């Protein structure tokens, strides 16, 4: 096939998909300069031609299969169908600002700082799900209090652009108080993020890596320069839904590295670079990294086992998830009797992780601990008179939102219940019974033995 005929097909495809020609080349054959070379009259192999046709969707040369209409670009799709985290955005933010979970989790994680054994050149921490950054910011404060003069390497994974924006709001103050810090954000999955290395060659070829050395000597200076990265993130920090798993996945892997320019000399050996990154973390935070109803095998294989492999000698992974058996579940079960989304205990999960790792887990300790140490409580924060006197609609709604958010009740089931209004009556009854509302989380620790 002549180049001009093939170029016409590619141009039509790119125009309909609103895709850059360089992007087409990377996605089709892992060559961003493919189209420009074709325009110059360069030849391509039959294998490359077959791969182009496969990407275009019209089979092998001479095939009669029609070219399907490409999926619309991510920014033109219905956001409710794109992002699982976007669907619950309002519930999530209301929960975060009315309940003490983030603060209590940060305090629980900070206890592990007394058991880690950092080694030069830095204390290394990985947050496997940044959320809005509240837990990480609080843990970084605790790290500074315990290790005020030790360099920090802080890495975190988050696929939601909305949450990354909230995380970046908290970074300037941390870099001002603890200047010898490197903060790395990525949207890669759990098996890739600790190493900052995509497993797919195609994803690796399309990876976007940005270093941002921050200049100045005040949090305000840093904030201005970090805010300037938002347009870059809006353009590249995108996710779609995997047709195979139904889970959100990145469109292109992105790495953003932040550090202070005036500390570059000290931090140079620790600054990650493409193809030259290590895991070896002293502390890994896995706070609510999986859905309540996800299977134990999925949690073990896809999330916790890879994170455990990222520990260095003496390192510790603390995992935290909802436990149930609390007033929050009473609210849920008063509307849906027998509901129990927290069927997988920490004991079952650790057994599954140990089995999944096999011989690779021989130097790991799996610590479920007793309930008195593992299970901890956090509360919905309300004034005393808001739950002991007449309970207003706003308080009842906040409690209901917290209960169904923790239980991860699907939106379609919520719609059926909220139309009747009886859910608020059930919520008020539980609030009066307990003079408040609280929830239980359970924690576990996986630690690697010291050399």
């Amino acid at each position: 096939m002549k180049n001009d005929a093939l170029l016409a097909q590619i141009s039509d495809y790119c125009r309909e998909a609103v895709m850059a020609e360089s992007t087409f080349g990377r996605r089709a054959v892992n060559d961003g300069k493919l189209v420009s070379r074709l325009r110059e009259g360069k030849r391509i192999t039959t294998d490359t031609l077959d791969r182009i046709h496969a990407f275009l969707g019209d089979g092998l040369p001479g095939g009669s299969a029609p070219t399907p209409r490409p999926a619309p670009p991510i920014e033109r799709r219905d956001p409710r169908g794109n992002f699982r985290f976007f669907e619950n955005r309002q519930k999530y933010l209301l929960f975060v600002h009315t309940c003490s979970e983030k603060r209590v989790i940060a305090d629980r994680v900070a206890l592990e700082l007394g058991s880690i054994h950092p080694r030069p050149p830095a204390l290394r921490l990985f947050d496997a799900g940044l959320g809005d950054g509240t837990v990480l910011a609080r843990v970084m404060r605790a790290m500074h209090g315990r290790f005020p003069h030790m360099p920090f390497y802080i890495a975190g994974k988050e696929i939601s652009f909305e949450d990354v924006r909230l995380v970046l709001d908290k970074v300037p103050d941390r870099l001002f108080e603890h200047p010898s810090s490197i903060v790395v954000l990525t949207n890669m999955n759990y098996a890739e993020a600790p190493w900052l290395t995509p497993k797919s060659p195609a994803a690796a070829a399309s990876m976007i890596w940005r270093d941002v050395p921050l200049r100045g000597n005040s949090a305000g200076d840093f904030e201005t320069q970090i805010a300037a990265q938002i347009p870059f993130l809006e353009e590249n920090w995108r996710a779609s839904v995997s047709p195979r798993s139904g889970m959100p996945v990145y469109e292109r892997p992105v790495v953003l590295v932040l550090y202070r320019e005036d500390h570059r000399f000290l931090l140079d050996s620790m600054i990650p670079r493409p193809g030259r990154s290590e895991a070896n973390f002293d502390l890994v935070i896995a706070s609510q990294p999986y859905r309540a109803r996800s299977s134990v095998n999925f949690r073990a294989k896809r999330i916790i086992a890879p994170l455990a492999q990222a520990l260095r000698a003496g390192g510790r992974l603390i995992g935290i998830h909802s436990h149930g058996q609390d007033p929050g579940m009473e609210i849920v079960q008063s509307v849906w009797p027998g509901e129990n989304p927290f069927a997988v205990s920490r004991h079952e999960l650790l057994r599954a992780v140990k089995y999944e790792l096999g011989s690779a887990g021989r130097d790991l300790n799996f610590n479920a601990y007793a309930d008195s140490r593992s299970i901890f409580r956090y509360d919905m924060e309300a004034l005393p008179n808001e739950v002991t006197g007449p309970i207003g609609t706003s308080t009842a709604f906040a409690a209901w939102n917290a209960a169904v958010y923790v239980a991860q009740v699907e939106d379609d089931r919520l719609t059926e219940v909220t139309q009747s209004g009886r859910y608020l009556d059930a919520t008020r009854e539980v609030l009066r019974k307990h003079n408040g509302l609280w929830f239980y989380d359970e924690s576990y620790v996986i630690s690697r033995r010291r050399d």
Side-chain angles (χ1 to χ4, degrees), residues 121 264-271 273:
R264 187 202 288 263
F265 186 88
L266 171 65
L267 301 173
D268 185 71
S269 64
M270 295 168 277
I271 297 173
R273 294 171 174 86

Side-chain angles (χ1 to χ4, degrees), residues 44-70:
I44 57 175
T45 65
T46 56
D47 178 64
T48 299
L49 182 60
D50 289 345
R51 291 169 65 187
I52 294 171
H53 277 114
F55 187 84
L56 289 170
D58 63 353
L60 297 174
S64 59
T67 301
R69 180 181 179 87

Side-chain angles (χ1 to χ4, degrees), residues 96-130:
V96 166
H97 292 291
T98 57
C99 294
S100 63
E101 186 190 34
K102 299 290 186 181
R103 183 180 72 249
V104 175
I105 286 178
D107 292 341
R108 174 64 187 86
V109 172
L111 294 177
E112 298 300 319
L113 296 176
S115 301
I116 63 175
H117 306 278
R119 300 182 180 187
L123 191 163
R124 300 174 63 86
L125 179 145
F126 182 79
D127 190 342
L130 291 163

Side-chain angles (χ1 to χ4, degrees), residues 47-363:
D47 178 64
T48 299
L49 182 60
D50 289 345
R51 291 169 65 187
I52 294 171
H53 277 114
F55 187 84
L56 289 170
D58 63 353
L60 297 174
S64 59
T67 301
R69 180 181 179 87
I74 189 69
E75 64 272 17
R76 295 189 180 180
R77 300 175 197 156
D78 181 358
R80 293 172 297 178
N82 284 338
F83 308 105
R84 174 174 53 82
F85 47 79
F86 186 86
E87 293 174 355
N88 293 324
R89 190 71 186 164
Q90 290 177 317
K91 290 197 289 288
Y92 168 72
L93 293 176
L94 180 57
F95 170 78
V96 166
H97 292 291
T98 57
C99 294
S100 63
E101 186 190 34
K102 299 290 186 181
R103 183 180 72 249
V104 175
I105 286 178
D107 292 341
R108 174 64 187 86
V109 172
L111 294 177
E112 298 300 319
L113 296 176
S115 301
I116 63 175
H117 306 278
R119 300 182 180 187
L123 191 163
R124 300 174 63 86
L125 179 145
F126 182 79
D127 190 342
L130 291 163
D132 68 343
T134 301
V135 170
L136 179 62
R138 288 180 172 273
V139 171
M140 289 178 70
R141 292 190 193 106
M143 290 168 57
H144 176 77
R146 183 178 285 269
F147 308 105
H149 307 297
M150 188 177 293
F152 293 163
Y153 176 90
I154 311 291
K157 166 211 162 31
E158 182 54 61
I159 197 169
S160 164
F161 165 71
E162 295 93 341
D163 279 334
V164 168
R165 186 161 38 80
L166 296 176
V167 171
L168 291 176
D169 286 341
K170 301 172 176 66
V171 171
D173 292 335
R174 296 299 87 229
L175 290 178
F176 177 76
E177 181 178 59
H178 200 94
S180 55
S181 298
I182 301 169
V183 178
V184 183
L185 307 181
T186 184
N187 62 351
M188 295 185 208
N189 61 43
Y190 294 100
E192 301 170 336
W195 296 267
L196 301 178
T197 305
K199 293 196 170 184
S200 162
S206 66
M207 182 168 63
I208 301 174
W209 189 294
R210 173 168 287 201
D211 273 46
V212 184
L214 302 170
R215 295 171 175 80
N217 56 10
S218 71
D221 292 337
F222 307 146
E223 181 181 36
T224 300
Q225 295 164 72
I226 291 174
Q229 308 306 313
I230 297 300
F232 160 79
L233 296 173
E234 287 178 339
E235 175 65 25
N236 297 291
W237 206 285
R238 296 184 177 181
S240 57
V241 176
S242 167
R244 183 170 58 87
S245 67
M247 297 294 290
V249 294
Y250 59 77
E251 290 201 335
R252 297 179 67 180
V254 181
V255 176
L256 180 67
V257 183
L258 305 171
Y259 55 90
R260 290 179 53 158
E261 171 67 29
D262 56 1
H263 280 65
R264 187 202 288 263
F265 186 88
L266 171 65
L267 301 173
D268 185 71
S269 64
M270 295 168 277
I271 297 173
R273 294 171 174 86
R276 290 190 294 157
S277 303
E278 62 178 26
N280 295 329
F281 289 99
D282 298 292
L283 182 61
V284 172
I285 306 171
S287 173
Q288 308 284 10
Y290 33 70
R291 300 282 289 171
R293 290 176 173 81
S294 61
S295 69
V296 64
N297 290 333
F298 175 86
R299 301 182 192 195
K301 181 176 182 178
R302 299 285 295 276
I303 301 175
I304 302 302
L307 294 178
Q309 291 179 302
L311 293 172
R312 70 168 23 155
R316 299 172 73 83
L317 178 155
I318 176 169
I320 295 170
H321 59 233
S322 299
H323 176 70
Q325 302 177 29
D326 49 42
M329 275 308 300
E330 286 188 35
I331 293 176
V332 173
Q333 290 172 344
S334 66
V335 178
W336 296 284
E339 183 82 5
N340 180 25
F342 312 120
V344 178
S345 71
R346 65 189 187 276
H347 303 279
E348 295 174 87
L349 177 58
L350 289 177
R351 284 195 295 269
V353 174
K354 189 173 184 179
Y355 176 82
E356 178 65 32
L357 288 171
S359 60
R362 289 175 180 171
D363 62 343

